[in-house]
């Protein structure tokens, strides 16, 4: 897998959230033109994109803010975990409580509770800016 795309409204807030999570901003800038329109199947496209990468990892998250055409709001805004489609991205962390505290400074809230799965993991879901849900997993053994 190369990357996952998340369409956002507040690009800077979401970048800050993922940087706080430990990702590195690889680059950002405008994206428009006939080739982009043909690839994504929309006309008159103008967007700003940012690419964040996992340090020393293979995965990346691409963020896109559409200026034209305007992004469409999902319903409901804060969709529950059983909503069809991609619901979360899971990240491995070293200190889950520290990460939760740092993400709370960016407006994040726990979706449910911080739980332990056997003697293997501590896990939780966190809802951040734009309603984005990330899973956090701290391996115990």
């Amino acid at each position: 897998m190369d990357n996952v795309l998340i369409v956002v409204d507040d690009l800077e807030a979401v970048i800050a959230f993922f940087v706080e999570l430990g990702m590195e901003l690889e680059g950002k800038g405008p994206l428009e033109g006939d080739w982009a329109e043909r690839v994504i199947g929309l006309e008159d496209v103008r967007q700003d994109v940012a690419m964040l990468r996992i340090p020393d990892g293979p995965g990346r998250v691409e963020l896109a803010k559409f200026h034209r055409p305007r992004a469409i709001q999902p319903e409901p805004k804060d969709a529950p975990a059983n909503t069809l489609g991609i619901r979360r991205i899971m990240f491995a962390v070293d200190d889950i409580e520290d990460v939760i505290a740092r993400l709370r400074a960016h407006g994040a809230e726990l979706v449910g509770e911080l739980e332990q799965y056997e003697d293997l993991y501590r896990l939780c879901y966190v809802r951040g800016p734009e309603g984005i849900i990330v899973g956090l997993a701290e391996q115990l053994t």
Side-chain angles (χ1 to χ4, degrees), residues 48-92:
D48 290 318
V49 297
M51 188 67 76
L52 297 114
R53 67 181 171 81
I54 299 169
D56 303 321
R60 298 186 301 173
V61 172
E62 181 179 354
L63 305 174
K65 174 181 175 48
F66 280 83
H67 300 284
R68 285 190 323 253
R70 297 289 259 170
I72 298 169
Q73 287 290 339
E75 294 295 333
K77 182 181 176 203
D78 290 332
N82 64 339
T83 303
L84 294 174
I86 297 173
R87 297 289 17 111
R88 61 116 175 107
I89 304 170
M90 181 72 76
F91 290 90

Side-chain angles (χ1 to χ4, degrees), residues 13-26 51-61 90-95 98-100 102-103 106 134-136:
V14 179
I15 289 171
F17 177 79
F18 279 107
V19 167
E20 190 66 51
L21 191 53
M23 298 191 77
E24 296 174 354
L25 180 62
E26 200 170 73
M51 188 67 76
L52 297 114
R53 67 181 171 81
I54 299 169
D56 303 321
R60 298 186 301 173
V61 172
M90 181 72 76
F91 290 90
V93 299
D94 293 328
D95 182 343
D98 176 63
V99 173
I100 292 168
R102 289 187 292 114
L103 293 178
H106 294 270
V134 295
L136 305 175

Side-chain angles (χ1 to χ4, degrees), residues 109-140:
E109 297 178 352
L110 285 173
V111 172
E113 298 179 25
L114 173 59
E115 288 290 328
Q116 184 163 324
Y117 174 70
E118 298 182 352
D119 291 333
L120 302 173
Y121 290 97
R122 295 180 74 206
L123 304 159
C124 69
Y125 282 8
V126 176
R127 187 183 308 276
E130 310 278 331
I132 295 168
I133 297 176
V134 295
L136 305 175
E138 177 184 348
Q139 189 171 4
L140 300 174

